[in-house]
């Protein structure tokens, strides 16, 4: 078979239903995010069954029309996060076919790449180790592939199978449960079915899979899975809808069917709020609500009592913390994480007690908003206020897992509060400060948020060291034994060594440690303990 025609698309739809029906018990068995009345395998099967029925009820003239019907049915019948993502994969196929006019080998490769873009765009907070990671690997494997339809499909299925095996290494909850991602397993089944249709074998290649069932019990639901179809929504209203839903919970998906309707999905505690958000944006229909079990079940007796997590700006700071075994949410400079992103960080942590270390004032506010959220479930979340990443490092320096939880939190909070913070930034425009007028290019020094000096431009290595020493002398006047310096991406090469030497000459009693921050908005961040 050199191209996918309407008959092949119909056969693929039927094969997906048959394959997923056979695999449903196994996929449900590896689902570590259980919902009381439905599981991933059931959601995927329901989604593809609806797509097959939409296709079977018509007589498509060509592959393009068949794929459009396939996508429309999949979106309308989609259940759960994985079901909605699968529907977007089919939608991506349909849109790509409309653009290319045919599905041959290169067309299939383009369709898979486009499906990856469409599916990822529908998810507000993509998470590594899920069905999206498997889809990313498929798109990367077949991108720009110009071989035959059979070769491209076979490569895609093989890439999906290999990527599925990697999901436990990408998502800690999977590694802990000893399973692969359930949604990713469903995508492998869908691609295997496609290979079977193209090659005429109608056989599903085996994939090593041990279905682990975990009886976590069924605690009273603290949150709900809310799903509905939304008609009559303007494209300009979609960002507002996503923002409203992410403020209510997590696992937010707003997926288009290509014909004007959208499938909406959210895990939240406020059912009415989720539905009202849809009413404000358009016309919700086929509303369904199901009780949701705790996203990451807390396991008594597991030996894990608490976890420390952090949210910071700067990729280098994030990597530094991860190297210490801390789960980190890294957000771009100048941005604030959404409630959903913070809930993801909190709910993916092990243990009942979660201590959050935010590396800035705005980040502290974002952490506080998520700490009291209903979607945090039974977790006891404590936010230690920090105004700078240097205070996060100071708190972690005294963290001791062997201490009682409350004592450890108090020790970290005291260490953060006792750390004085300095900062050097380069002025981007003229401004008036307490110590005089700063011109563009000048180096401005801060101590605990207050401007204390202005070093005239240019921001050379010599000027930066002089400014840093002036700031440090002010800070060390009140005492201090340890200095931590975080260098931004704009810091000249060699400034760290020169600053360390100058500090040794003027304050030999003080020990200095320096790291890269990856930040672009501050040349130097300084902490004194």
């Amino acid at each position: 078979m050199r191209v996918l025609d309407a008959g092949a698309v119909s056969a693929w739809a039927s094969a997906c239903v048959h394959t997923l029906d056979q695999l449903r018990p196994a996929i449900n068995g590896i689902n570590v995010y259980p919902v009381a009345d439905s599981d991933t395998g059931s959601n995927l099967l329901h989604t593809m069954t609806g797509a097959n029925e939409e296709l079977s009820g018509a007589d498509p003239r060509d592959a393009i029309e068949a794929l459009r019907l396939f996508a429309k049915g999949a979106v309308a019948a989609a259940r759960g996060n994985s079901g909605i993502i699968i529907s977007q994969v089919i939608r991506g196929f349909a849109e790509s076919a409309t653009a290319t006019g045919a599905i041959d080998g290169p067309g299939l490769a383009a369709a898979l790449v486009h499906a990856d873009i469409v599916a990822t765009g529908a998810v507000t907070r993509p998470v590594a180790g899920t069905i999206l990671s498997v889809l990313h690997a498929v798109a990367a494997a077949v991108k720009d592939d110009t071989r035959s339809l059979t070769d491209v499909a076979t490569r895609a299925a093989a890439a999906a199978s290999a990527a599925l095996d990697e999901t436990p290494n990408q998502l800690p909850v999977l590694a802990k449960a000893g399973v692969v991602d359930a949604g990713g397993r469903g995508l492998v089944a869908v691609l295997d079915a496609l290979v079977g249709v193209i090659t005429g074998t109608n056989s599903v290649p085996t994939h090593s899979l041990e279905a682990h069932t975990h009886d976590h019990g069924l605690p009273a639901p603290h949150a709900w899975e809310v799903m509905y179809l939304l008609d009559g929504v303007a494209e300009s209203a979609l960002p507002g809808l996503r923002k409203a839903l992410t403020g209510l919970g997590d696992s937010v998906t707003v997926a288009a069917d290509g014909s004007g309707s959208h499938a909406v999905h959210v895990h939240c505690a406020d059912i009415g709020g989720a539905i009202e958000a849809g009413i404000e944006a358009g016309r919700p229909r086929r509303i369904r609500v199901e009780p949701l079990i705790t996203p990451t079940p807390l396991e008594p007796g597991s030996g894990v009592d608490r976890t420390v997590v952090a949210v910071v700006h700067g990729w280098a700071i994030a990597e530094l913390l991860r190297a210490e075994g801390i789960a980190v949410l890294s957000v771009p400079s100048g941005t604030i994480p959404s409630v959903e992103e913070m809930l993801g960080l909190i709910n993916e942590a092990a243990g009942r007690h979660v201590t959050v270390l935010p590396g800035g004032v705005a980040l502290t506010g974002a952490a506080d908003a998520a700490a009291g959220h209903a979607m945090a479930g039974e977790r006891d979340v404590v936010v230690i206020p920090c105004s700078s990443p240097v205070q996060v490092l100071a708190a972690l320096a005294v963290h001791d897992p062997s201490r009682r939880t409350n004592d450890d939190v108090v020790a970290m909070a005291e260490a953060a509060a006792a750390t004085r913070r300095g900062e050097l930034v380069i002025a981007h425009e003229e401004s008036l400060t307490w110590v005089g007028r700063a011109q563009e290019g000048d180096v401005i020094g801060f101590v605990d948020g207050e401007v204390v000096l202005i070093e005239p431009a240019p921001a050379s290595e010599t000027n930066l060291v002089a400014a840093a020493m002036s700031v440090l002398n002010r800070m060390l006047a009140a005492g201090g034994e340890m200095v931590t310096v975080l260098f931004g991406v704009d810091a000249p090469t060699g400034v760290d060594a020169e600053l360390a030497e100058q500090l040794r000459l003027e304050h030999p009693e003080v020990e200095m440690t320096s790291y890269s921050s990856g930040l672009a908005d501050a040349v130097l961040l300084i902490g004194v303990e």
Side-chain angles (χ1 to χ4, degrees), residues 432-493:
L432 184 61
T433 74
W434 289 108
V435 296
R437 187 178 299 276
Q439 304 294 330
E440 181 180 359
D442 289 349
V443 178
I444 303 178
F446 295 81
V447 173
D448 293 332
E450 297 291 336
V451 178
V452 296
L453 69 86
I454 298 174
E455 185 74 25
S460 63
E461 179 179 322
T462 301
N463 286 354
L464 284 173
V465 170
M469 284 306 305
S470 179
V471 168
L472 275 168
N473 285 329
R474 289 173 179 268
M475 298 172 72
L476 291 170
E481 300 174 349
M482 171 71 73
V483 170
T484 302
V485 182
L486 299 177
F487 294 91
V489 294
D490 294 329
T493 302

Side-chain angles (χ1 to χ4, degrees), residues 23-32 38-43 182 212-213:
L23 288 174
R24 180 163 48 96
I27 294 177
N28 284 347
I30 63 175
N31 181 20
V32 295
S38 65
D39 291 288
T40 300
S42 301
N43 290 340
H212 296 258
T213 56

Side-chain angles (χ1 to χ4, degrees), residues 279-424:
I279 293 174
E280 291 180 3
R283 299 188 302 277
R285 60 184 173 89
R286 292 175 61 175
I287 299 172
R288 197 170 88 255
V289 178
E290 295 182 358
L292 186 69
I293 301 305
T294 306
T296 309
L298 303 177
E299 300 178 8
S302 65
V304 179
D305 179 55
R306 68 273 182 70
T307 301
V308 177
V309 300
V311 52
V312 297
H313 294 125
W315 61 268
I317 298 174
E319 290 304 314
L320 176 64
L321 297 177
R322 291 189 183 105
E324 297 298 321
I326 302 298
V328 183
L329 173 62
S330 177
V331 293
S333 297
T335 64
I336 301 174
S338 67
V339 172
E340 182 181 14
E341 289 175 317
M342 288 303 309
L343 287 172
L345 177 67
I346 292 169
N347 283 331
E348 288 166 15
R352 185 176 301 276
H353 303 279
V354 181
T355 303
V356 184
L357 297 173
V361 176
L363 297 179
T364 297
D368 283 335
H373 201 285
M375 283 296 292
E378 301 175 0
R379 284 176 168 76
D380 179 17
V381 183
V382 176
V383 179
I384 295 179
C386 298
S387 300
S388 170
V390 294
Q391 294 180 325
V392 173
L393 295 176
L396 285 177
V398 301
H399 169 49
D400 184 356
S402 65
R403 271 197 296 246
R404 292 176 51 196
T405 300
N406 290 345
D407 292 341
D408 194 42
V409 169
V410 170
M412 286 191 287
E414 289 178 343
T419 300
R420 302 193 67 193
R421 54 191 173 88
E423 185 175 358
L424 292 185

